[in-house]
């Protein structure tokens, strides 16, 4: 869950920005007049964040009218990719936005290494949530319902792609998972329910297959992540340009510690 911050905390974070990426509808290429704008700011690590005895990998969020600004460190971004904590991160990575980046292009070259069971499962879980919300929203918010339907389809497709990269020898067949009517035409309640139920079933099938493939890996003691990659990515996040050893982030740490003290 994101921690909301004010303009004062934002001002302390802005000098740490390494790269900013606009995601959401702009990244997908379907932005409309109704769309909010979403920005991910990848920032440098600081000694205070590393040394803190409380969890510091929260995403910090600043809201301003129709804009959302999300701040995360390089380490938190990589951790989110490894653990499947954020499906937004894998969408950004797979979009190619880091290709050619002076600081972060290494992430793009490692893209297939982040195709793990954890990430595929996270994508399926997010798509399942989206399709449930599609059904709930249909009766009173057609725009959001259609949006959630589209997100569910995108999540299903990306989960399949990640799984195919993780288990290339499994020869997963997209035809087993693709819905019969993969569009966003939801003209009435019966049609809406039919389409949502179908996607729900396809997601359940993919989740079942993911679990079976992962259990096979465990029985055969196959690492869930390439050990050499784990070492390489650790060295990547230690890169000196990803650190600011002097910047004071006292206001940032106050927000994080307040959150830690009030929530589990």
């Amino acid at each position: 869950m994101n921690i909301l911050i004010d303009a004062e905390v934002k001002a302390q974070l802005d000098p740490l920005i390494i790269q900013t990426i606009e995601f959401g509808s702009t990244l997908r290429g379907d932005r409309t007049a109704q769309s909010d704008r979403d920005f991910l700011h990848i920032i440098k690590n600081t000694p205070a964040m590393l040394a803190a005895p409380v969890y510091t990998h929260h995403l910090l969020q600043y809201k301003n009218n129709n804009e959302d600004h999300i701040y995360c460190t390089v380490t938190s971004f990589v951790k989110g990719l490894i653990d499947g904590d954020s499906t937004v991160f894998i969408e950004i990575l797979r979009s190619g936005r880091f290709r050619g980046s002076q600081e972060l292009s290494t992430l793009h070259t490692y893209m297939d290494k982040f195709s793990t069971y954890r990430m595929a499962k996270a994508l399926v879980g997010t798509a399942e949530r989206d399709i449930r919300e599609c059904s709930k929203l249909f009766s009173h918010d057609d725009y959001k319902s259609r949006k959630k339907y589209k997100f569910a389809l995108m999540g299903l497709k990306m989960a399949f792609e990640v799984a195919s990269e993780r288990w290339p020898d499994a020869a997963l067949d997209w035809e087993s998972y693709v819905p019969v009517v993969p569009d966003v035409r939801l003209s009435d309640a019966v049609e809406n329910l039919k389409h949502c139920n179908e996607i729900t079933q396809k997601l359940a099938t993919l989740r079942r297959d993911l679990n079976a493939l992962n259990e096979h890996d465990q029985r055969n003691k196959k690492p869930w992540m390439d050990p050499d990659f784990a070492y390489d990515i650790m060295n990547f996040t230690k890169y000196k340009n990803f650190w600011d050893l002097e910047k004071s982030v006292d206001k940032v740490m106050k927000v994080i510690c307040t959150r830690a003290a009030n929530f589990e």
Side-chain angles (χ1 to χ4, degrees):
M1 188 176 292
N2 298 353
I3 300 178
L4 292 177
I5 60 173
D6 59 23
E8 191 175 18
V9 176
K10 178 181 183 298
Q12 199 167 66
L13 291 170
D14 282 342
L16 296 171
I17 293 174
I18 299 169
Q19 184 169 340
T20 295
I21 298 165
E22 189 168 358
F23 63 100
S25 57
T26 299
L27 186 68
R28 296 189 301 271
D30 57 8
R31 187 165 180 257
T32 69
Q34 295 176 279
S35 301
D36 293 335
R37 300 189 69 180
D38 303 294
F39 299 90
L40 176 70
H41 305 289
I42 299 180
I43 62 174
K44 295 179 180 180
N45 296 292
T46 69
M49 293 176 184
L50 180 66
V54 298
Y55 182 81
T56 59
H57 291 290
H58 299 288
L59 301 183
L60 305 177
Q61 181 179 9
Y62 176 75
K63 299 176 74 69
N64 179 29
N65 297 323
N66 67 330
E67 292 185 357
D68 280 336
H69 295 262
I70 307 296
Y71 294 82
C72 78
T73 65
V74 176
T75 302
S76 295
F77 186 83
V78 172
K79 185 179 184 300
L81 288 169
I82 290 173
D83 292 345
D85 290 341
S86 174
T87 56
V88 170
F89 291 175
I90 196 69
E91 291 174 24
I92 291 173
L93 179 63
R94 295 175 76 87
S95 74
R97 287 297 190 271
F98 295 126
R99 187 187 291 116
S101 167
Q102 182 177 353
E103 305 288 359
L104 299 168
S105 59
T106 298
L107 288 174
H108 182 78
T109 64
Y110 282 143
M111 187 165 63
D112 64 313
K113 301 294 186 182
F114 291 110
S115 292
T116 63
Y117 167 70
R118 292 183 182 182
M119 182 54 73
K121 187 174 69 169
L123 287 162
V124 168
T126 301
E128 289 172 333
R129 180 201 65 196
D130 287 335
I131 205 63
R132 285 195 300 270
E133 292 182 1
C134 171
S135 296
K136 293 177 182 178
L137 290 165
F138 174 75
S139 62
H140 61 280
D141 196 328
D142 181 70
Y143 171 74
K144 287 186 178 179
S145 181
R146 290 172 183 270
K147 187 166 71 169
K148 292 295 183 180
Y149 183 83
K150 184 176 182 179
F151 289 170
L153 287 174
M154 292 170 55
L156 172 60
K157 184 67 162 60
M158 191 173 295
F160 170 79
E161 291 172 351
V162 167
S164 297
E165 291 168 7
R166 167 62 179 169
W167 295 284
D169 296 335
L172 297 172
D173 182 9
W174 173 236
E175 295 302 318
S176 300
Y177 311 107
V178 65
V180 175
V181 189
D183 58 35
V184 292
R185 291 175 294 174
L186 306 174
S187 59
D188 59 46
V190 173
E191 188 178 3
N192 175 278
L193 183 60
K194 181 184 72 174
H195 291 185
C196 290
N197 284 343
E198 183 185 9
I199 295 174
T200 299
Q201 291 167 9
K202 298 296 184 181
L203 286 164
T205 299
L206 182 54
R207 178 181 287 278
R208 180 201 65 202
D209 293 346
L210 290 174
N211 289 338
L213 288 165
N214 184 60
E215 288 168 6
H216 180 269
D217 285 350
Q218 290 179 335
R219 287 195 300 271
N220 290 277
K221 301 189 183 304
K222 179 180 178 181
W224 69 271
M225 183 172 63
D226 181 347
D228 291 334
F229 165 65
Y231 180 75
D232 289 344
I233 204 66
M234 179 192 69
N235 285 325
F236 168 76
T237 58
K238 288 165 57 180
Y239 178 46
K240 61 182 179 63
N241 285 9
F242 296 158
W243 290 83
D244 190 320
L245 302 180
E246 306 297 332
K247 176 70 176 175
S248 171
V249 289
D250 58 308
K251 294 179 175 63
V252 177
M253 296 309 300
K254 179 68 174 178
V255 168
I256 292 174
C257 290
T258 299
R259 168 63 182 270
N262 283 282
F263 299 94
E264 292 183 0

